Amino acid sequence: MHHQWLLLAACFWVIFMFMVASKFITLTFKDPDAYSAKQEFLFLTAVPDAGKLPGEKHFPEELKPTGKVLSDSRLIQPLVYMERLELIRNVCRDEALKNLSHTAVSKFVLDRIFVCDKHKILFCQTPKVGNTQWKKVLIVLNGAFPSIEEIPENVVHDHEKNGLPRLSSFSDAEIQKRLKTYFKFFIVRDPFERLISAFKDKFVHNPRFEPWYRHEIAPGIIRKYRRNRTETRGIQFEDFVRYLGDPNHRWLDLQFGDHIIHWVTYVELCAPCEIKYSVIGHHETLEDDAPYILKEAGIDHLVSYPTIPPGITMYNKTKVERYFLGISKRDIRRLYARFEGDFKLFGYQKPDFLLN
């Protein structure tokens, strides 16, 4: 009888401990605020086959996400953004690519970076990658307009009216302070698709009525790079590709001035090997990246990224093939040689279907 009571007491004890443990586990996993950044990082890296880069991984402290744990399908996201930063770090260390991945943090670069002091944000402009919408976000944050919908289109790119100071307008000490302490980001897209977008926007459609692209820049490219001198058509994409792939393109660049921002490399625009960015967004995944950037910057409760039309950010291989059709392999390879740093820094696949 004594043994039966002992056995019964032991059973009740086991059941009681199981209930306590279950309650503890439930509370722990239901409270996302209970996770520290370090715990979040360890949990995320335990997810198998999450698009890891080849080779051993080590994420230093500055690469850890600053936001709270995301739920459900977005749990994997912080790892994706950390891998992008780690890829940049690895490519920047590659001596063979040094000439394609490094640039001085010159006034040209500082002119591309817009400042929001109120929320400690730096945004590097990469034209033809949806930058107009990000500028609208910063304009609202800086207090120039109460909402994105109220910003006139002609004000967005008017730097005397849009209330967006450039980093170059500050003293050297103030520049360094902001570079070290502010949240920094920029957006990229497939380099060749971006060039197609730049060509269409500036030389074909020209929706902002900027006549100098057709009447000054295009004739300069045609004079130097058109092979068939009897051809009288306006600038063709082939002329544009030949200009961009020319190792001596800088002679024309100097004549064109800051207009070249629409087609120079991301390296030349934002100096990703010299400046430690907090997040790199991709145009192709902007539906996920935009909310993540706003959250990491701590402004998701203040402003939303404008609605993205379905499918507009997807990579269009058919369009790329169509534009490069008829252009010599030599010219395409020279173009890739110039933009190889962008392809490798940001994880874009080498376009072998155009090169071979």
Side-chain angles (χ1 to χ4, degrees):
M1 187 68 178
H2 178 68
H3 291 292
Q4 289 178 337
W5 278 108
L6 285 176
L7 182 60
L8 187 60
C11 289
F12 274 115
W13 176 254
V14 170
I15 292 171
F16 174 77
M17 291 303 294
F18 178 78
M19 290 173 64
V20 171
S22 298
K23 187 68 175 176
F24 176 77
I25 293 169
T26 302
L27 289 172
T28 302
F29 279 88
K30 282 187 176 180
D31 183 10
D33 291 332
Y35 284 87
S36 66
K38 185 173 182 180
Q39 287 171 318
E40 174 191 3
F41 173 70
L42 291 173
F43 173 73
L44 288 169
T45 53
V47 179
D49 300 322
K52 292 182 180 178
L53 295 174
E56 185 178 349
K57 279 287 187 286
H58 172 67
F59 295 108
E61 287 292 327
E62 65 265 26
L63 296 185
K64 291 183 181 180
T66 58
K68 296 177 182 179
V69 176
L70 301 176
S71 60
D72 301 332
S73 63
R74 297 197 174 189
L75 275 170
I76 195 92
Q77 283 192 352
L79 180 60
V80 170
Y81 302 112
M82 286 187 288
E83 286 187 336
R84 289 177 185 174
L85 296 177
E86 181 71 0
L87 175 61
I88 290 173
R89 288 163 59 88
N90 289 336
V91 174
C92 289
R93 289 194 291 259
D94 189 339
E95 288 294 324
L97 292 171
K98 190 171 183 178
N99 291 337
L100 295 171
S101 60
H102 288 262
T103 192
V105 183
S106 62
K107 185 179 183 298
F108 181 81
V109 171
L110 297 175
D111 278 344
R112 310 281 76 78
I113 301 176
F114 295 104
V115 181
C116 176
D117 277 330
K118 186 175 181 180
H119 299 283
K120 297 187 175 182
I121 296 171
L122 299 180
F123 166 62
C124 185
Q125 177 188 24
T126 49
K128 308 280 78 70
V129 193
N131 280 255
T132 297
Q133 306 304 330
W134 284 109
K135 287 169 84 171
K136 288 180 180 179
V137 168
L138 292 183
I139 288 169
V140 171
L141 290 173
N142 275 350
F145 288 87
S147 70
I148 286 173
E149 292 74 24
E150 296 178 57
I151 304 172
E153 287 298 322
N154 64 324
V155 169
V156 178
H157 301 289
D158 187 334
H159 299 297
E160 293 182 1
K161 297 179 181 178
N162 64 18
L164 290 180
R166 298 173 189 261
L167 191 55
S168 58
S169 65
F170 296 88
S171 69
D172 288 345
E174 289 297 316
I175 289 171
Q176 291 305 317
K177 174 186 173 184
R178 285 165 174 78
L179 285 174
K180 289 178 180 178
T181 61
Y182 280 21
F183 178 87
K184 301 171 288 293
F185 77 100
F186 67 94
I187 314 296
V188 297
R189 73 188 293 187
D190 177 86
F192 279 6
E193 195 170 36
R194 172 175 170 253
L195 295 180
I196 292 170
S197 178
F199 178 79
K200 288 169 58 182
D201 184 61
K202 299 306 175 187
F203 299 110
V204 181
H205 303 306
N206 200 247
R208 289 171 57 195
F209 305 105
E210 301 162 309
W212 48 87
Y213 286 102
R214 288 180 179 172
H215 302 310
E216 297 175 23
I217 295 177
I221 294 173
I222 291 171
R223 278 193 300 271
K224 185 170 178 62
Y225 295 102
R226 179 156 293 177
R227 286 177 178 160
N228 183 359
R229 297 296 179 180
T230 63
E231 174 63 69
T232 58
R233 291 184 299 170
I235 188 171
Q236 302 297 299
F237 189 63
E238 181 180 10
D239 306 320
F240 189 55
V241 167
R242 202 169 290 125
Y243 150 58
L244 294 177
D246 183 1
N248 298 312
H249 61 85
R250 296 193 186 280
W251 291 104
L252 274 186
D253 288 352
L254 290 173
Q255 297 178 37
F256 298 158
D258 278 0
H259 299 309
I260 64 174
I261 65 172
H262 299 281
W263 50 76
V264 297
T265 65
Y266 299 127
V267 170
E268 294 168 281
L269 290 169
C270 299
C273 287
E274 286 67 38
I275 298 173
K276 284 187 177 181
Y277 286 91
S278 311
V279 178
I280 305 297
H282 281 225
H283 189 256
E284 295 82 0
T285 54
L286 198 57
E287 287 188 41
D288 291 328
D289 292 6
Y292 181 80
I293 289 169
L294 296 177
K295 188 177 183 67
E296 288 296 289
I299 54 174
D300 55 318
H301 62 294
L302 299 174
V303 66
S304 297
Y305 188 83
T307 302
I308 302 169
I312 198 171
T313 64
M314 290 178 61
Y315 174 70
N316 190 335
K317 182 180 178 182
T318 302
K319 179 178 69 176
V320 173
E321 289 176 319
R322 185 173 72 250
Y323 266 83
F324 280 92
L325 185 66
I327 299 178
S328 73
K329 298 296 183 187
R330 171 185 174 273
D331 289 337
I332 298 175
R333 287 172 187 146
R334 284 173 61 144
L335 181 69
Y336 177 75
R338 178 179 175 187
F339 286 85
E340 183 180 5
D342 281 0
F343 275 94
K344 293 196 171 179
L345 278 164
F346 305 107
Y348 286 103
Q349 189 172 357
K350 183 178 179 180
D352 288 322
F353 64 95
L354 297 175
L355 299 169
N356 299 326

